[in-house]
Amino acid sequence: MRTLRPRHPFRHAALLSSVSAALLLACSDRDSAPPDVAAPIDPLPISGLYDVSGVTRAVAAGPGEERHIAGTVILRQNGDSYTATFKLDTTFPGVEDPVQADVIGSGEGSIEGRTLRGTTQTQLVVSTVPGIDTDFAFVPRIVGARVASTAVTEIAPDGSLRIELENQPAEGEEDYLPTHTTLTGRRIADDSAGALPKR
């Protein structure tokens, strides 16, 4: 009759020790490995074409008295300074109905990080026919008041921006009341190889 021999206790202990060491080593490697971190995204350049919209409010006006304004702004960076050109559309109260107006101008200033501070010079071009855009052929237009503004622009790394403008009548102008304009928007094109239109 065959006699069963008990298994060697030291063999079991050695096997358990090997498995435990392997598990500890695996856990140690996992804990010491750096976590998965998304690669940082380079911020978009400041230079570019921006689509913007917002409101203009008369400083002395009551609540709710505001004009919608929208259009495009072109920014070009040169070191720690910038230049801006823009064409925006808005409306003005008319004798019977609101009339369309273009807000055309340019600006310049300095850059601190992604904050732009400077001034703008603006000319208003007003349609004389209510409800008809100033770009419509043969529509009589009136060159309106010249406006001088201080501007602060914040540009986020993703290309979104916010512009705050304090608007005053330019020297010699009397027919424009001080206003405040807030514009927000996003970068829709770059300025590679000078591809943006010059205005």
Side-chain angles (χ1 to χ4, degrees):
M1 181 176 176
R2 184 177 179 182
T3 303
L4 295 176
R5 295 180 180 179
R7 295 181 180 179
H8 201 295
F10 295 109
R11 184 178 301 171
H12 288 293
L15 179 61
L16 288 173
S17 297
S18 298
V19 172
S20 299
L23 289 174
L24 288 172
L25 183 60
C27 292
S28 175
D29 289 343
R30 184 179 60 189
D31 293 341
S32 63
D36 292 335
V37 178
I41 299 174
D42 291 335
L44 290 174
I46 288 175
S47 295
L49 173 66
Y50 295 82
D51 185 35
V52 299
S53 63
V55 293
T56 295
R57 298 181 179 90
V59 173
E65 296 184 37
E66 59 186 34
R67 301 190 301 271
H68 179 72
I69 184 169
T72 56
V73 176
I74 296 174
L75 294 175
R76 287 189 171 88
Q77 180 178 3
N78 183 15
D80 59 358
S81 64
Y82 76 93
T83 59
T85 54
F86 51 88
K87 180 182 182 297
L88 309 170
D89 299 319
T90 189
T91 57
F92 280 94
V95 177
E96 298 179 356
D97 297 305
V99 294
Q100 302 295 313
D102 287 341
V103 182
I104 302 169
S106 61
E108 60 184 6
S110 61
I111 301 174
E112 303 169 9
R114 297 188 71 83
T115 300
L116 285 59
R117 302 179 188 275
T119 59
T120 68
Q121 301 294 323
T122 303
Q123 185 80 58
L124 302 179
V125 180
V126 183
S127 172
T128 59
V129 180
I132 302 298
D133 192 271
T134 56
D135 292 331
F136 195 81
F138 309 116
V139 172
R141 291 164 291 183
I142 298 174
V143 176
R146 293 176 297 111
V147 180
S149 308
T150 58
V152 178
T153 302
E154 299 284 350
I155 303 179
D158 65 358
S160 60
L161 85 169
R162 182 181 181 89
I163 305 173
E164 300 284 349
L165 295 155
E166 298 293 343
N167 313 307
Q168 302 284 339
E171 185 176 356
E173 295 287 351
E174 299 178 355
D175 296 332
Y176 187 87
L177 296 176
T179 60
H180 179 89
T181 298
T182 300
L183 295 167
T184 58
R186 56 185 293 270
R187 186 174 182 268
I188 58 175
D190 62 20
D191 190 27
S192 58
L196 296 182
K198 292 181 171 56
R199 288 181 172 159

